[in-house]
């Protein structure tokens, strides 16, 4: 299924640090900053399985002050595009009431990136 990750080998999921520097796609300030802000690509649709796991751990700790269990982690074994396809009910089914907050956080990040991207694209088209 598209968007699924092989949970057996996380080594292939890690993103080289040189890519983050070269593309400037990582943004540690894409949400309200905390001391332990997670470093993720700005576009949630481009998140790897490892990015999704890191985001979930951060979102759960930030909002609910709860740990993200191994069982819950398995329920989100997918990349950012896979997460985008999950409706709010799917988040709630996987995480209970915490799913509402996590869904809202993902949607906010997605909207924030893509609305900014559309504005920038529109400006470039207007200049041509």
């Amino acid at each position: 299924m598209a968007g699924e990750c092989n949970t057996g080998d996380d080594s292939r999921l890690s993103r080289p640090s040189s890519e983050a520097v070269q593309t400037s796609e990582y943004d540690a300030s894409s949400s309200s900053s905390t001391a332990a802000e997670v470093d993720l690509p700005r576009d949630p649709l481009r998140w790897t399985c490892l990015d999704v796991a890191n985001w979930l751990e951060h979102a759960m700790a930030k909002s609910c002050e709860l740990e993200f269990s191994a069982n819950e982690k398995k329920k989100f074994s997918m990349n950012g595009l896979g997460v985008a396809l999950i409706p709010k009910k799917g988040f709630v089914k996987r995480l209970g009431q915490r799913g509402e907050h996590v869904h809202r956080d993902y949607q906010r990040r997605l909207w924030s990136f893509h609305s900014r991207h559309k504005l920038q694209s529109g400006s470039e088209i207007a200049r041509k």
Side-chain angles (χ1 to χ4, degrees), residues 59-75:
M60 296 286 279
K62 184 174 144 186
S63 70
C64 311
E65 298 178 6
L66 296 170
E67 299 264 334
F68 185 57
S69 74
N71 188 38
E72 290 170 325
K73 192 174 192 174
K74 288 179 187 176
K75 294 176 183 179

Side-chain angles (χ1 to χ4, degrees), residues 43-68:
D43 184 359
L45 296 177
R46 298 192 68 198
W47 289 354
T48 65
C49 299
L50 185 59
D51 292 332
V52 169
N54 290 337
W55 163 71
L56 282 166
E57 287 176 16
H58 173 74
M60 296 286 279
K62 184 174 144 186
S63 70
C64 311
E65 298 178 6
L66 296 170
E67 299 264 334
F68 185 57

Side-chain angles (χ1 to χ4, degrees), residues 108-122:
R108 182 186 51 76
R109 289 172 184 263
L110 187 63
W111 182 86
S112 176
F113 175 79
H114 287 281
S115 65
R116 195 174 334 142
H117 181 70
K118 285 181 183 179
L119 289 174
Q120 290 172 351
S121 298

